[in-house]
Amino acid sequence: MANNLEKEFVLEGLKLRHRTDGRGLFACRPLEFEFGTKDAYCIARLGGSVAYASVIAELDQPMGGRPSEGTIKFNVDIARAQYSTLFKNKDPVRVNHYMIELGRFIERSFRESKAIDLESLCVQAGRRVWHLQVDLKILNDDGNIPDVLGYAALGVLRVYRRPDVSIDSSVPGGLVVHSLDDREGVPLTLHHFPVCLTFASFDEGDVIVVDPSSLEESTCDGRLTISVTPQGELCAVQKAQGYGMSQTDVMQCIQAGIELAESSCRVLEKALKSHAVARVASRVRRTAGQDSPKRVGFSSESGPAPMNIESLDPSVRDAMHAADEPIEDDDDDDDDNEQDDAGGKRITMDTGEAVCPGDDSHADGSKEQVLDEPTQRKYTSITNSSGKNVDIYKETSDMVPEQDDAMQLKDAFLR
């Protein structure tokens, strides 16, 4: 509450068309919006006044008499931590009455003006509709609480997305509610965007200002709060207290309010565009953190994709490690033959016709036919998973990695 000296100072300045914070008579304080990445809340700041808005959605039966329409209601309250600071010396009963009055004005601005399409909230006519509850909380009071609450309500209704619902007769209830992580939410349908604006009159109506501060509110003779759209539609009017206003003054406030509503909606649209970019970026980061199928290959945009060697078959993995080892040229044929018999790491390939001199039997029952030099092709008979004997041959060279040999053995085993 301002003292007599402060009131006199404010009145003398307004008579000279000067306000204590340097604004013009029909100039608003800076407006800011802040949205959550979950699209569930909005914080509006009008100068030093701050309000918080959130939406709670419930899928339930429709109200009687309106089987194809959902419902929406608004609750206004004060943050518990700020109650003792903002309304320290005020009667709790009057404060509660003031909160109810603010909630009714917000409801008239949005619900009674048909700003929200309630039929779009219907899922199954007569069975299930969405019931929305908008909770508004006052975080700080620096004057003009109705306007900052209206901005918070408009912002959260623009950004909110309800869960999508599909009809499935195979599940209990016949409805499937998809989470916002699985499917994109459905935005609300708004026909127009009401903007709340408060005007204060001084010196028995000779001076009128918009967006009064807390000091100006304690000094003014009366207040008028209107809700208009940028298209010039009048949604709600509330004369709070004090002296009456002439018809000319009311029409002047409405005309000024339409212009201010256009500038406020431009600020909101700019904030929504910035939020849309941040929202997509957060979804991309959240999706990138989830497990995705591993791919081995090449991407034209990002270059070679990393290969997870540990996820490969053990025989292929051993062959790849063997292929990475340096190959030494040795003229000793005996060493080459011993290396071939041990693991077949390095033998030469020749495209000439091969002649089989004889058979060699192994302890596991497989038969191997070794050809004469210079060509070495090994014919092997193995038993696959179906119990059939399959004859394969393997050929490797200094130019062919040994994983081809391992993959060929694997394919024959699964054949």
Side-chain angles (χ1 to χ4, degrees):
M1 182 66 66
N3 54 40
N4 293 332
L5 292 178
E6 291 176 338
K7 291 182 179 179
E8 184 179 355
F9 176 76
V10 172
L11 290 175
E12 290 298 328
L14 290 175
K15 290 179 181 179
L16 299 176
R17 300 300 186 267
H18 294 294
R19 303 177 69 173
T20 56
D21 51 7
R23 290 182 291 156
L25 298 183
F26 289 94
C28 295
R29 291 172 291 180
L31 176 62
E32 298 178 0
F33 292 92
E34 180 182 344
F35 304 101
T37 55
K38 293 293 185 179
D39 303 330
Y41 74 87
C42 171
I43 298 178
R45 295 182 176 88
L46 186 61
S49 299
V50 185
Y52 170 88
S54 61
V55 179
I56 300 175
E58 182 181 2
L59 192 63
D60 204 347
Q61 296 179 356
M63 302 294 291
R66 297 183 181 273
S68 61
E69 291 185 1
T71 62
I72 184 171
K73 63 179 181 179
F74 298 83
N75 295 328
V76 179
D77 198 0
I78 308 170
R80 185 174 300 178
Q82 301 294 331
Y83 186 87
S84 59
T85 304
L86 300 179
F87 303 96
K88 182 177 181 180
N89 300 323
K90 295 184 179 181
D91 185 9
V93 177
R94 299 188 63 179
V95 171
N96 187 36
H97 178 73
Y98 180 56
M99 296 297 106
I100 296 175
E101 183 180 351
L102 289 174
R104 289 177 178 175
F105 177 75
I106 299 297
E107 281 192 354
R108 292 199 305 270
S109 301
F110 288 90
R111 188 179 65 184
E112 302 301 330
S113 65
K114 308 296 182 183
I116 304 172
D117 186 6
L118 298 180
E119 291 185 355
S120 64
L121 301 178
C122 178
V123 178
Q124 281 184 319
R127 294 188 59 190
R128 289 291 183 270
V129 296
W130 285 105
H131 299 279
L132 304 181
Q133 177 178 320
V134 181
D135 293 327
L136 301 169
K137 291 185 179 298
I138 302 172
L139 302 183
N140 192 35
D141 183 9
D142 190 25
N144 199 7
I145 289 298
D147 290 13
V148 70
L149 289 175
Y151 287 128
L154 179 59
V156 75
L157 292 176
R158 290 290 306 277
V159 77
Y160 176 73
R161 284 173 169 78
R162 62 173 177 83
D164 193 11
V165 181
S166 60
I167 299 176
D168 189 357
S169 59
S170 62
V171 300
L175 297 177
V176 177
V177 181
H178 303 276
S179 65
L180 297 179
D181 294 333
D182 297 337
R183 184 176 295 187
E184 187 73 13
V186 180
L188 300 179
T189 302
L190 275 69
H191 297 302
H192 50 261
F193 308 138
V195 177
C196 300
L197 295 165
T198 299
F199 297 85
S201 61
F202 299 85
D203 196 14
E204 298 183 359
D206 291 341
V207 179
I208 299 177
V209 301
V210 68
D211 184 20
S213 62
S214 59
L215 181 60
E216 292 173 341
E217 282 184 345
S218 61
T219 309
C220 67
D221 298 331
R223 286 179 294 174
L224 173 69
T225 303
I226 63 174
S227 178
V228 295
T229 66
Q231 292 75 26
E233 300 173 338
L234 182 63
C235 300
V237 179
Q238 181 178 8
K239 181 67 175 66
Q241 59 184 5
Y243 288 94
M245 299 179 68
S246 65
Q247 182 179 358
T248 303
D249 293 338
V250 173
M251 294 303 299
Q252 180 184 3
C253 293
I254 294 175
Q255 293 297 328
I258 294 174
E259 298 178 0
L260 294 173
E262 294 178 358
S263 60
S264 300
C265 286
R266 286 195 295 267
V267 175
L268 177 59
E269 292 294 336
K270 184 177 179 180
L272 289 172
K273 290 181 180 179
S274 301
H275 168 69
V277 176
R279 179 174 175 271
V280 172
S282 64
R283 289 182 63 88
V284 170
R285 289 194 297 266
R286 186 166 63 251
T287 304
Q290 299 176 356
D291 293 335
S292 57
K294 298 181 175 60
R295 296 182 300 172
V296 178
F298 180 78
S299 173
S300 59
E301 298 180 356
S302 59
M307 178 181 294
N308 188 5
I309 300 179
E310 300 299 327
S311 62
L312 299 177
D313 187 83
S315 60
V316 178
R317 185 171 61 249
D318 296 340
M320 293 184 66
H321 290 305
D324 293 337
E325 297 178 2
I327 300 176
E328 300 179 358
D329 292 335
D330 193 353
D331 296 335
D332 192 356
D333 295 337
D334 295 337
D335 296 339
D336 292 343
N337 293 334
E338 293 178 358
Q339 191 175 21
D340 296 339
D341 295 338
K345 292 184 179 179
R346 182 171 61 88
I347 55 178
T348 58
M349 179 175 63
D350 192 348
T351 57
E353 185 177 358
V355 179
C356 300
D359 296 340
D360 290 335
S361 299
H362 295 281
D364 57 358
S366 63
K367 295 181 179 180
E368 180 176 274
Q369 296 177 344
V370 183
L371 306 184
D372 293 337
E373 295 293 346
T375 302
Q376 291 197 24
R377 292 184 181 181
K378 296 186 178 181
Y379 289 83
T380 305
S381 177
I382 65 173
T383 302
N384 61 8
S385 59
S386 301
K388 299 180 180 180
N389 293 329
V390 180
D391 293 333
I392 65 170
Y393 74 92
K394 52 183 179 179
E395 56 184 11
T396 57
S397 67
D398 294 340
M399 303 299 295
V400 180
E402 190 182 347
Q403 54 263 39
D404 296 338
D405 184 21
M407 291 299 296
Q408 192 177 15
L409 290 171
K410 180 180 177 182
D411 293 340
F413 183 76
L414 298 176
R415 190 181 302 173

